């Protein structure tokens, strides 16, 4: 699962998910859009628009979408979603994928210590962000970090793997800024998403 606001989805998300899926030979890979994230401003585009863009973006790829958080109300917490997934899949190794920037903020997540009880964390390296410095995270990594996909498969949860991926310095913030400035976002996100944004006049000033 790669969680995010996807406001809008872009090639940085899509390639990160595919790189991790292939590098670790995962069986399935889902993008998990959040309704109202806890630690940041409300998304600019509605849940419906963000989901429509995700659907356009994942066609012809191994990526799937898990839209369960969009169906709820209020803030969605990753830990609650992971517990729900664990109940549905009691025997599967679950991997929650996040970018390196997100790892650095992990200790601010709701009930973050519980995450590793339910899933592994896969951290995709991201341009501009270095290894975590927070002492709690450094200690945690010393305890549970692994570099082996086999080790992940052998356990249902509890390990952290840092997965280097080819770096794409693309962010949704940058896409929104470009659109506001009347610039093109072609090739930063799939063509269907570029068209959808234009058609629905999303992210305009
Ligand atoms: P924003 O710029 O609005 O903060 P974002 O581009 O970081 O958005 P999110 O939807 O917040 O996108 O990100 C979802 C997840 O994808 C996060 O774990 C984030 O670290 C990761 N991610 C986003 N862009 C990239 C990228 N270019 N490379 C690797 N991981 C990425």
């Amino acid at each position: 699962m790669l969680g995010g606001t996807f406001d809008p989805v872009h090639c940085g998300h899509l390639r990160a998910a595919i790189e991790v899926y292939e590098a670790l030979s995962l069986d399935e890979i889902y993008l998990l859009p959040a309704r109202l994230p806890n630690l940041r401003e409300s998304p600019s585009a509605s849940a419906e628009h963000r989901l429509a863009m995700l659907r356009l973006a994942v066609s012809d790829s191994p990526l799937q979408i898990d839209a369960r958080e969009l169906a709820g109300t209020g803030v969605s917490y990753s830990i609650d979603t992971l517990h729900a997934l664990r109940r549905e899949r009691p025997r599967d190794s679950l991997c929650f994928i996040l970018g390196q920037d997100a790892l650095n903020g992990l200790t601010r997540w709701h009930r973050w210590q519980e995450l590793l009880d339910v899933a592994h964390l896969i951290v995709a390296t991201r341009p501009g962000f270095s290894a975590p410095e927070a002492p709690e995270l450094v200690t945690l990594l010393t305890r549970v970090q692994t570099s082996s996909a086999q080790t992940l498969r052998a356990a249902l949860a509890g390990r952290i793997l840092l997965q280097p991926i080819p770096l794409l310095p693309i962010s949704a913030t940058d896409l929104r800024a470009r659109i506001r400035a009347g610039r093109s976002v072609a090739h930063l996100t799939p063509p269907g998403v570029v068209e959808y944004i234009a058609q629905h006049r999303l992210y305009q000033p």
Side-chain angles (χ1 to χ4, degrees):
M1 319 291 293
L2 171 69
T5 34
F6 303 106
D7 188 26
V9 61
H10 54 69
C11 296
H13 299 125
L14 300 166
R15 285 306 315 171
I18 292 174
E19 294 288 351
V20 171
Y21 171 72
E22 290 182 343
L24 301 177
S25 304
L26 302 180
D27 297 316
E28 296 166 72
I29 175 112
Y30 291 88
L31 303 180
L32 178 71
R35 183 178 181 80
L36 276 181
N38 183 26
L39 295 172
R40 46 181 291 165
E41 284 175 19
S42 294
S44 166
S46 68
E48 291 71 22
H49 281 316
R50 288 182 291 124
L51 180 57
M53 291 187 280
L54 277 168
R55 291 209 170 106
L56 292 165
V58 300
S59 65
D60 302 322
S61 84
L63 303 172
Q64 304 183 62
I65 299 166
D66 185 327
R68 69 179 68 213
E69 290 190 357
L70 298 181
T73 51
V75 172
S76 40
Y77 295 114
S78 304
I79 186 64
D80 294 333
T81 307
L82 286 171
H83 275 301
L85 275 160
R86 172 53 70 214
R87 282 193 293 275
E88 288 166 24
R89 295 165 173 254
R91 278 186 255 287
D92 289 351
S93 293
L94 295 178
C95 294
F96 192 78
I97 305 167
L98 55 164
Q100 212 162 1
D101 55 317
L103 176 73
N104 291 338
L106 190 73
T107 53
R108 291 185 297 135
W109 289 26
H110 186 56
R111 290 161 38 211
W112 72 275
Q113 291 96 335
E114 258 178 69
L115 292 167
L116 285 170
D117 296 340
V118 220
H120 299 300
L121 294 184
I122 312 297
V123 182
T125 54
R126 196 173 179 192
F129 297 92
S130 47
E133 282 164 18
E136 283 161 300
L137 286 179
V138 175
T139 316
L140 181 67
L141 281 170
T142 339
R143 236 177 358 99
V144 301
Q145 189 177 350
T146 178
S147 54
S148 146
Q150 279 308 105
T151 307
L152 295 185
R153 279 187 182 272
L156 297 182
R159 308 304 295 254
I160 300 181
L161 185 143
L162 303 191
Q163 180 60 48
I165 59 167
L167 305 176
L168 287 179
I170 304 176
S171 72
T173 303
D174 177 57
L175 264 78
R176 295 193 300 271
R178 283 172 194 265
I179 296 164
R180 268 200 310 277
R183 296 173 62 196
S184 166
V185 291
H187 308 297
L188 293 172
T189 189
V193 177
V194 177
E195 273 168 39
Y196 188 95
I197 290 172
Q199 195 184 346
H200 294 271
R201 302 186 54 76
L202 301 181
Y203 309 114
Q204 305 286 334

